[in-house]
Amino acid sequence: QPLLAAGVQLSLDRPDLLEGMNRPQKFLQEHELIGMMDEHGIGTDASMAGHISTICDRNYVIVVDEDGEPIRPPKRPGSKDQRPRQKGRFLVPTPLGLAFLRAVEHVDDALVSPPIRAKMEAEVSQIADGVLDKDEVLSQSLGFFENKFDTMCAEMDEVKGVLRDTVGPTKQHLRRLRQLGCFGEKAMLAELQKDGQQPRRRGGGGGGGGGG
């Protein structure tokens, strides 16, 4: 089989019409987020789990199973709960988390990018190694974030508008994600059947090519 190159003409053997559904990308699981944090230099082995716990406690994300159902508390000894064991621990941004992200992005999108946090982590390590002076780094960091805070205060009306337009019930948010197929076809069909709906399918054209 010769390799394809720019300008090569191909003849169409036959047209095929395929039916299917677009598949959204899966949400990150906890261990995947930890891997990405490590890759970007955010946190240490001892602090990464704490960072995830913080965003969960503040309701910026919710932990769900592979079907998009919130993770239930562990069963107590002697519990009569016969529901099957949940699989997966996916981190789904809540409406509050998305609203906070968009509000901060509105002021300065650099504040929600990995390099800022990674820079702070690196400076802490350099302070511990005696490369940087703690008071100097602290003064620079406080000045940087005070300026960002002042900017956010000056644009508070716009920030409030972003929050108002985005915040909503987390339960309804998860249900909508299941309807969109974000947790697989089984969860999507189950959710749509509750409302008597049918999934939308999109046709895609495909064809086998012959060398020309």
Side-chain angles (χ1 to χ4, degrees):
Q1 290 287 343
L3 295 176
L4 294 178
V8 173
Q9 294 184 353
L10 302 176
S11 62
L12 184 65
D13 289 341
R14 67 183 187 282
D16 290 327
L17 182 63
L18 305 177
E19 186 178 276
M21 291 182 292
N22 294 335
R23 296 298 184 192
Q25 186 175 356
K26 286 187 176 182
F27 291 99
L28 291 176
Q29 295 203 63
E30 287 177 318
H31 69 275
E32 293 172 325
L33 177 57
I34 288 176
M36 294 185 69
M37 292 170 66
D38 184 55
E39 178 183 343
H40 289 282
I42 299 176
T44 64
D45 291 343
S47 67
M48 288 181 187
H51 291 325
I52 294 178
S53 177
T54 296
I55 61 176
C56 290
D57 292 343
R58 294 178 180 175
N59 197 33
Y60 294 153
V61 302
I62 185 171
V63 185
V64 304
D65 63 15
E66 62 181 4
D67 294 323
E69 296 291 343
I71 295 296
R72 300 185 294 269
K75 292 182 181 180
R76 296 181 178 180
S79 172
K80 296 182 180 180
D81 188 350
Q82 299 298 318
R83 289 175 293 182
R85 178 177 174 273
Q86 293 175 288
K87 298 179 181 179
R89 293 182 62 85
F90 295 88
L91 296 167
V92 178
T94 64
L96 175 62
L98 292 172
F100 183 73
L101 174 66
R102 290 168 184 167
V104 175
E105 281 182 329
H106 179 77
V107 175
D108 188 343
D109 57 6
L111 287 174
V112 296
S113 64
I116 284 188
R117 182 71 195 206
K119 178 178 179 292
M120 295 173 62
E121 299 279 358
E123 288 175 341
V124 169
S125 296
Q126 289 176 310
I127 291 172
D129 294 337
V131 177
L132 295 179
D133 178 73
K134 182 192 73 172
D135 293 333
E136 183 178 347
V137 171
L138 181 60
S139 176
Q140 291 176 352
S141 296
L142 287 175
F144 175 81
F145 284 106
E146 283 174 356
N147 288 335
K148 300 300 182 184
F149 180 77
D150 291 339
T151 301
M152 178 168 285
C153 289
E155 300 188 20
M156 188 54 63
D157 287 340
E158 290 80 359
V159 170
K160 288 180 180 178
V162 174
L163 294 174
R164 181 176 57 250
D165 294 340
T166 310
V167 173
T170 298
K171 183 177 181 180
Q172 181 178 334
H173 176 63
L174 288 176
R175 186 180 183 191
R176 180 58 177 160
L177 291 176
R178 288 193 292 269
Q179 290 176 337
L180 292 173
C182 295
F183 299 101
E185 187 170 0
K186 178 182 176 182
M188 179 187 69
L189 293 175
E191 198 64 55
L192 291 176
Q193 286 172 358
K194 294 178 183 178
D195 295 336
Q197 302 181 43
Q198 293 296 325
R200 294 181 179 180
R201 295 182 177 273
R202 295 184 178 181

